[in-house]
Amino acid sequence: MFGIGGGELVFILFIVLMLFGSDKVPEIARTMGKAMAQLKNATNDIKSEIQKGAESNGLDAKSLTDITGNINAQINDAKSNLLGDTTNLSGNLLGETTTEINKVKEDIETISGPVKRQQ
């Protein structure tokens, strides 16, 4: 629960008990419970109003699913087209880079002589 362990929870409850006293703690808990219930009801009311507004404008769950499905399909097509082109490009680019590196290495060896590796 919120990254709080058992020991920390007991310590917090002890501090609350010391600050407010044993007669006020149930009243505070009751008030917090009522506030949480009101928050849950308000959230459900907002959700239902949004759903009613969407349905009145002709947007139901099925049409939204169809729209998002089409968008996802187009994104996946674009991604596959881009990735298809880059794989061929990267293979050629890697091969060309390797040959250029080998040419430069050979040029350096011809100028300075073979490199002796120490073991």
Side-chain angles (χ1 to χ4, degrees):
M1 178 172 83
F2 305 115
I4 297 176
E8 291 93 359
L9 189 60
V10 170
F11 182 72
I12 291 170
L13 291 175
F14 178 74
I15 296 298
V16 168
L17 187 61
M18 293 298 288
L19 287 175
F20 297 108
S22 62
D23 56 335
K24 294 284 183 179
V25 172
E27 185 179 325
I28 293 171
R30 206 174 300 117
T31 304
M32 288 180 65
K34 287 179 183 177
M36 289 174 61
Q38 287 178 350
L39 181 66
K40 182 179 177 183
N41 289 337
T43 304
N44 288 337
D45 288 343
I46 291 171
K47 284 181 187 178
S48 65
E49 287 297 322
I50 291 173
Q51 187 174 10
K52 286 178 185 176
E55 288 174 357
S56 68
N57 289 329
L59 296 174
D60 58 347
K62 187 177 184 303
S63 66
L64 290 175
T65 305
D66 292 343
I67 291 170
T68 56
N70 291 337
I71 292 171
N72 286 335
Q74 290 177 356
I75 289 172
N76 289 334
D77 288 342
K79 187 193 298 185
S80 65
N81 289 338
L82 286 174
L83 291 178
D85 293 338
T86 57
T87 53
N88 294 335
L89 230 159
S90 65
N92 293 337
L93 186 60
L94 183 62
E96 291 173 6
T97 306
T98 306
T99 54
E100 288 295 322
I101 289 172
N102 288 334
K103 286 179 185 177
V104 170
K105 183 178 176 182
E106 289 173 4
D107 291 342
I108 291 173
E109 285 181 356
T110 56
I111 293 172
S112 64
V115 176
K116 295 181 183 177
R117 294 186 181 168
Q118 295 179 356
Q119 293 180 349

